[in-house]
């Protein structure tokens, strides 16, 4: 017989073992029933941050996957399938072969690139632009927009956004803690073949959107998706309101070089009183047809740019050195040619004008109504006259979402629904529009033409 103390210890050990077995069995039962208690506690506590609440849906994620089938002719997402200039690609190859170019460069912008941008835009603005203090290089135009919102927009501010807008504007404003205030472009009625110039801002409605809480207005010219190039009078109307209400202007001008004959791109920052309150955004992707390089830039006064630099140094820090070196070379290749036919900035627009006109003719022949853009490489298309019955599609979505999904499946042609670019209240005005991209090779446009010519037969 064990001593009393030993017996006591053995009894305690048996109880501990029994409790352990019971606990193990209970845990297994809980896990087999579909969850573990500790996991359940973790998932209930660790959810998304409030600043991204409701921002999980994205038109590009949804429709890029639908258009990934090689049999689909993709006129949806805005990427060129025409080649970039050879000298830009060759400059990248040379840069990558130099060891020093494969290391970090200056965080706010590779010195050769910001100096080249200063030369190009010095001509455009008609003023000296300090390459180190008034230019910031970012990860694409997206990076410029993000740095601008995070650096200059405060929680509780209001930011005016013109509809239709590029879809990231609203999420970026909301992530900054601000309130998007929407105002829609209106279409003049009565034209058989409308152009982007027929869409206008109502002056009184625009004026009513400015309040004591308004921090900024986002301008996009040429506009994506409509292709509208804002006229000097329209820009002056916006500038006057900005000055009156001491409001900033964030001008997204990534399509600035793609302006068609009879139209002129004017930078709002060049209007009296606007340089000191404007951040202008552009990108290499749209300038040289290299969207995969993801290089953008912000230009503005030092007292604003320095806040964007603060965001950059604490987020992305810097951009790829070889890419910046190659873009600098491309800019310098064209700076002395500006205003001449050989300049890539103008020659690309001439090439695209023919593609634009061809696309419009094909769409009209198919019974659709294109909105002829003044700039950019997108075309808004009214599909109302097709009277396509989609009542069999049960998803709770706008008509254009259903139409594009149906078109991809049944016609093998991809587009983007335009209600992705407007707020809830404006969807009823835009749900019969789709957006097509025409910066494509002739073979791609040939394939689209075949589909559209046989629209009723397929």
């Amino acid at each position: 017989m064990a001593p009393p103390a030993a017996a006591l210890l053995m009894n305690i050990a048996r109880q501990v073992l029994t409790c352990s077995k019971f606990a193990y069995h209970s845990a297994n039962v809980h896990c087999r029933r579909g969850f573990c208690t500790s996991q359940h506690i973790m998932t209930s506590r660790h959810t998304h941050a409030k600043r991204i609440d409701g921002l999980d849906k994205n038109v590009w994620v949804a429709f890029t996957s639908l258009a990934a089938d090689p049999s689909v002719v993709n006129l949806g997402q805005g990427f060129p399938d025409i080649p970039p200039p050879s000298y830009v690609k060759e400059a990248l190859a040379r840069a990558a072969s130099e060891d020093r170019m494969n290391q970090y460069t200056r965080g706010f912008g590779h010195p050769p690139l910001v100096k080249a941008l200063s030369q190009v835009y010095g001509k455009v603005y008609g003023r000296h632009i300090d390459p180190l203090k008034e230019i910031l290089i970012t990860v694409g135009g997206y990076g410029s927009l993000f740095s601008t919102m995070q650096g200059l927009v405060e929680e509780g501010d209001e930011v005016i956004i013109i509809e239709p807008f590029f879809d990231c504007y609203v999420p970026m404003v909301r992530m900054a803690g601000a309130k998007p205030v929407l105002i829609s472009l209106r279409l003049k009625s009565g034209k058989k073949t409308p152009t982007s110039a027929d869409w206008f801002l109502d002056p009184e409605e625009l004026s009513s959107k400015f309040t004591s809480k308004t921090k900024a207005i986002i301008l996009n010219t040429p506009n994506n998706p409509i292709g509208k190039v804002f006229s000097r009078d329209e820009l002056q109307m916006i500038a006057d309101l900005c000055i009156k209400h001491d409001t900033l202007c964030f001008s997204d001008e990534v399509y600035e070089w793609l302006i068609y004959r009879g139209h002129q791109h004017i930078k709002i920052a060049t209007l009296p009183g606007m340089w000191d309150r404007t951040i202008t955004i552009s990108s290499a992707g749209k300038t040289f047809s290299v969207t995969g390089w993801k290089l953008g830039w912000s230009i503005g006064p030092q007292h604003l740019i320095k806040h964007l630099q603060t965001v950059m140094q604490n987020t992305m820090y810097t951009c790829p050195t070889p890419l910046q070196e190659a873009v600098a070379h491309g800019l310098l290749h064209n700076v002395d040619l500006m205003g001449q036919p050989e300049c890539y900035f103008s020659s690309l627009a001439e090439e695209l004008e023919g593609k634009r006109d061809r696309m419009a003719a094909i769409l009209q022949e198919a019974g659709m109504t294109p909105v002829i853009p003044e700039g950019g490489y997108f075309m808004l298309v009214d599909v109302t006259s097709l009277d396509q019955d989609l009542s069999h599609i049960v998803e709770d979505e706008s008509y254009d979402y259903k139409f594009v999904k149906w078109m991809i499946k049944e016609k093998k042609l991809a587009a983007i629904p335009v209600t992705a670019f407007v707020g809830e209240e404006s969807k009823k005005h835009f749900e019969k529009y789709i957006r097509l991209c025409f910066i494509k090779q002739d073979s791609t446009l040939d394939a689209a033409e075949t589909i559209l010519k046989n629209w009723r037969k397929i």
Side-chain angles (χ1 to χ4, degrees):
M1 182 178 292
L8 180 61
L9 288 172
M10 288 177 68
N11 187 40
I12 292 172
R14 289 191 191 101
Q15 292 181 34
V16 169
L17 182 60
T18 300
C19 291
S20 298
K21 288 179 178 177
F22 176 77
Y24 176 75
H25 173 74
S26 298
N28 276 342
V29 169
H30 279 261
C31 287
R32 286 198 298 269
R33 288 177 179 172
F35 67 93
C36 294
T37 303
S38 59
Q39 181 181 349
H40 175 68
I41 292 173
M42 182 173 287
T43 55
S44 66
R45 289 181 56 227
H46 299 285
T47 184
H48 65 270
K50 289 182 179 180
R51 62 180 166 272
I52 63 167
D53 190 35
L55 305 182
D56 52 321
K57 293 183 179 179
N58 183 281
V59 67
W60 311 114
V61 173
F63 284 90
T64 300
S65 60
L66 289 174
D69 182 343
S71 67
V72 173
V73 179
N74 191 355
L75 301 184
Q77 193 174 9
F79 64 87
D81 68 1
I82 61 175
S86 58
Y87 53 82
V88 174
K89 295 186 290 183
E90 291 163 2
L92 177 59
R94 288 195 303 272
S97 67
E98 293 185 35
D99 289 343
R100 66 185 180 87
M101 288 294 171
N102 291 291
Q103 307 306 324
Y104 294 132
T105 186
R106 175 177 173 268
F108 301 143
H110 189 46
L113 177 54
V114 292
K115 289 176 183 177
L117 287 167
S118 175
Q119 290 185 50
V120 169
Y121 286 106
K123 288 189 172 186
V124 176
Y125 282 87
R127 64 180 297 150
H128 171 70
I129 297 176
D130 189 315
L132 303 180
K133 297 178 180 179
E134 297 179 328
I135 300 175
L136 173 66
I137 306 301
T138 60
V139 182
Y142 263 84
S144 288
L145 287 164
F146 180 78
S147 298
T148 299
M149 301 300 174
Q150 292 296 316
L152 296 172
V153 176
E154 192 69 77
E155 187 172 348
D157 286 343
E158 293 181 352
V159 177
I160 299 170
I161 302 175
I162 300 168
E163 298 175 306
F165 48 75
F166 188 56
D167 70 302
C168 75
Y169 295 166
V170 166
M172 286 193 184
V173 168
R174 287 180 56 190
M175 281 192 286
K179 176 185 175 182
V181 176
L182 307 182
I183 178 172
S184 184
L185 289 167
R186 310 293 183 187
L187 176 62
K188 298 174 185 176
S189 59
K191 290 193 69 173
K192 184 177 180 181
T193 306
T195 74
S196 57
D198 295 318
W199 295 78
F200 68 97
L201 284 172
D202 179 89
E204 292 185 7
E205 184 182 10
L206 178 61
S207 179
S208 72
K209 300 295 182 180
F210 283 78
T211 72
S212 59
K213 293 183 178 181
T214 305
K215 183 60 175 284
I217 181 171
I218 301 178
L219 173 68
N220 181 206
T221 180
N223 172 273
N224 174 15
I226 289 181
K228 177 181 176 62
V229 176
F230 283 77
S231 68
R232 181 177 294 276
D233 287 344
E234 290 172 318
L235 294 175
Q236 189 63 61
M237 173 180 66
I238 294 170
D240 289 345
L241 288 167
C242 287
I243 293 169
K244 177 181 178 180
H245 296 274
D246 192 18
T247 298
L248 299 176
C249 179
F250 307 149
S251 191
D252 181 353
E253 302 180 16
V254 294
Y255 302 101
E256 61 184 318
W257 304 112
L258 303 178
I259 308 297
Y260 302 121
R261 278 180 294 182
H263 306 286
Q264 180 186 10
H265 176 68
I266 299 168
K267 290 184 172 294
I268 194 168
T270 63
L271 299 185
M274 288 304 292
W275 166 258
D276 285 334
R277 63 180 66 252
T278 302
I279 296 291
T280 305
I281 293 158
S282 195
S283 80
K286 304 305 188 292
T287 300
F288 289 117
S289 302
V290 287
T291 58
W293 291 16
K294 291 300 293 179
L295 278 182
W297 45 82
S298 301
I299 296 177
Q302 180 186 0
H303 69 269
L304 296 181
I305 290 292
K306 68 180 182 180
H307 301 306
L308 279 62
Q309 290 177 333
T310 299
V311 175
M312 183 68 183
Q313 74 187 18
N314 291 294
T315 51
M316 300 298 102
Y317 177 66
T318 191
C319 296
T321 308
L323 297 176
Q324 294 190 70
E325 178 75 11
V327 173
H329 178 85
L331 292 168
L332 293 175
H333 182 92
N334 285 279
V335 67
D336 292 330
L337 298 174
M338 290 174 68
Q340 301 177 36
E342 306 94 305
C343 181
Y344 185 76
F345 304 154
S346 53
S347 65
L348 178 59
E350 291 181 11
E351 178 185 353
L352 289 181
E353 187 164 350
K355 294 179 183 292
R356 177 200 69 171
D357 295 344
R358 180 188 178 190
M359 177 65 72
I362 295 169
L363 291 164
Q364 288 172 327
E365 189 176 342
M368 306 180 198
T369 305
V371 177
I372 311 301
E374 304 157 275
Y377 48 58
F378 299 110
M379 186 174 291
L380 218 63
V381 184
D382 186 346
V383 299
T384 303
S385 59
L386 296 178
D387 197 26
Q388 183 65 47
D389 181 14
L390 301 176
S391 59
H392 61 284
I393 301 177
V394 296
E395 284 87 350
D396 184 20
E397 294 179 316
S398 299
Y399 181 89
D400 57 338
Y401 269 73
K402 295 178 181 180
F403 182 89
V404 172
K405 289 179 178 179
W406 170 85
M407 186 170 69
I408 292 172
K409 181 181 179 181
E410 300 296 333
K411 304 295 184 181
K412 301 296 182 183
L413 181 64
I416 294 294
V418 174
T419 57
F421 304 103
V422 301
E424 198 65 37
E425 292 185 6
S426 295
K427 285 186 176 180
K428 61 181 178 292
H429 300 301
F430 287 92
E431 68 172 356
K432 292 298 179 71
Y433 288 95
I434 62 174
R435 190 199 77 170
L436 297 177
C437 175
F438 55 85
I439 186 168
K440 303 293 180 181
Q441 296 179 21
D442 288 341
S443 58
T444 305
L445 297 181
D446 290 343
E449 182 176 15
T450 299
I451 293 171
L452 291 166
K453 281 188 172 181
N454 293 283
W455 186 268
R456 299 296 184 186
K457 301 175 185 177
I458 300 175

